[in-house]
Amino acid sequence: MSHLGENSHILSEYTSMLPNFKDNVYTSQYCEENIYLLAQRMLAQPNIEGEWDINIIFISNPSRTVALWNQRASSSIYDAVIWDYHVILALRGSSAADRDDERGTWIYDLDTRLPVPYHWEEYVERTFPGHSDLPGQFQSLFRVVPCKVYLDSFASDRSHMIIDDPSLGPRYLAAPPAYPCICGPLAAAQGVSHNLMNDFVHMGGDVSGFGTVLDFASFKAWCSVSKPEISRGM
């Protein structure tokens, strides 16, 4: 049974305070910037912080080879895409102690073939099928970054998308967005112009950077608003 069908009425009560993701500026291959712009629009909505806990999720691993299914970049719904990293937004019902919150967690993946937003259980089931049976190099880790931290501290000069083509010289792997490079106010104040790969994507043995890095089981526990065992970054 579809979790979206079971829970869509819960989310529908709050859609008036949520921006329509279809109005979001979107640039293929720049998921971190697409989600940054969506997060800005989310946080600008009146009273949203009292109702929802907004987090940015970076998906990668030490080898930067994670397998995700139902991505639009795949030629078939049956084939996985191997990303070096991917970025989504998680909207989690605020678990205030004085009330019973049953809204759950909803995922905004702007590159999926699945509905957006989608209830986390269905999203995880269809995006990471048979995850525990995959070779380790294709299994995912999840860096959970609070929305405000991401908006303040993220910076990208897009240099990670530039390659040196022997015949053409330096060129972008994919056409960059038309708007200027993103640099959060705190990153700008610290003179940081590019921290995407080191502080957000990197998930090697010396885990540092922003947010908290979770394995697959701990990420599912986090989505279910329980208290997972976590490995904290700096």
Side-chain angles (χ1 to χ4, degrees):
M1 182 179 294
S2 169
H3 294 291
L4 180 65
E6 293 174 1
N7 296 285
S8 59
H9 69 284
I10 298 173
L11 186 66
S12 66
E13 296 177 16
Y14 302 92
T15 52
S16 61
M17 73 166 58
L18 302 176
N20 187 340
F21 79 94
K22 293 180 180 179
D23 297 331
N24 209 61
V25 175
Y26 175 87
T27 308
S28 179
Q29 305 294 318
Y30 291 83
C31 55
E32 67 280 358
E33 297 196 29
N34 297 331
I35 291 296
Y36 188 98
L37 298 177
L38 177 61
Q40 279 186 321
R41 296 178 62 223
M42 285 277 189
L43 209 58
Q45 304 306 304
N47 305 317
I48 193 170
E49 290 182 273
E51 300 290 347
W52 297 97
D53 178 25
I54 308 169
N55 288 270
I56 312 306
I57 315 297
F58 276 78
I59 306 168
S60 191
N61 62 20
S63 60
R64 296 183 185 174
T65 51
V66 289
L68 278 70
W69 275 258
N70 277 299
Q71 296 285 287
R72 293 203 311 267
S74 174
S75 58
S76 166
I77 62 173
Y78 303 106
D79 296 328
V81 171
I82 307 301
W83 293 118
D84 51 352
Y85 67 94
H86 190 48
V87 189
I88 60 178
L89 182 147
L91 196 66
R92 190 166 66 160
S94 179
S95 53
D98 60 346
R99 60 186 171 85
D100 181 18
D101 196 316
E102 298 181 348
R103 280 171 285 169
T105 299
W106 297 82
I107 302 297
Y108 285 77
D109 182 346
L110 302 185
D111 295 284
T112 187
R113 299 174 186 268
L114 303 173
V116 181
Y118 211 19
H119 191 266
W120 76 268
E121 288 181 272
E122 192 81 345
Y123 176 82
V124 167
E125 179 182 333
R126 299 181 66 180
T127 304
F128 306 98
H131 184 270
S132 61
D133 296 326
L134 292 173
Q137 71 189 90
F138 299 123
Q139 293 186 15
S140 295
L141 296 174
F142 303 82
R143 184 185 291 273
V144 179
V145 184
C147 183
K148 282 188 173 180
V149 172
Y150 188 56
L151 295 182
D152 285 343
S153 301
F154 172 78
S156 174
D157 61 10
R158 301 172 185 156
S159 57
H160 65 293
M161 292 294 288
I162 298 176
I163 62 170
D164 190 9
D165 189 312
S167 58
L168 300 175
R171 67 176 181 85
Y172 282 100
L173 286 167
Y179 54 81
C181 293
I182 293 174
C183 185
L186 186 56
Q190 296 174 342
V192 175
S193 62
H194 188 73
N195 61 8
L196 166 64
M197 305 308 289
N198 288 339
D199 289 340
F200 294 97
V201 173
H202 175 70
M203 296 183 192
D206 55 336
V207 174
S208 58
F210 296 99
T212 300
V213 175
L214 307 176
D215 62 19
F216 186 63
S218 297
F219 177 67
K220 291 194 293 182
W222 179 86
C223 286
S224 66
V225 199
S226 63
K227 296 182 178 179
E229 293 295 323
I230 59 177
S231 171
R232 293 190 178 278
M234 294 175 59

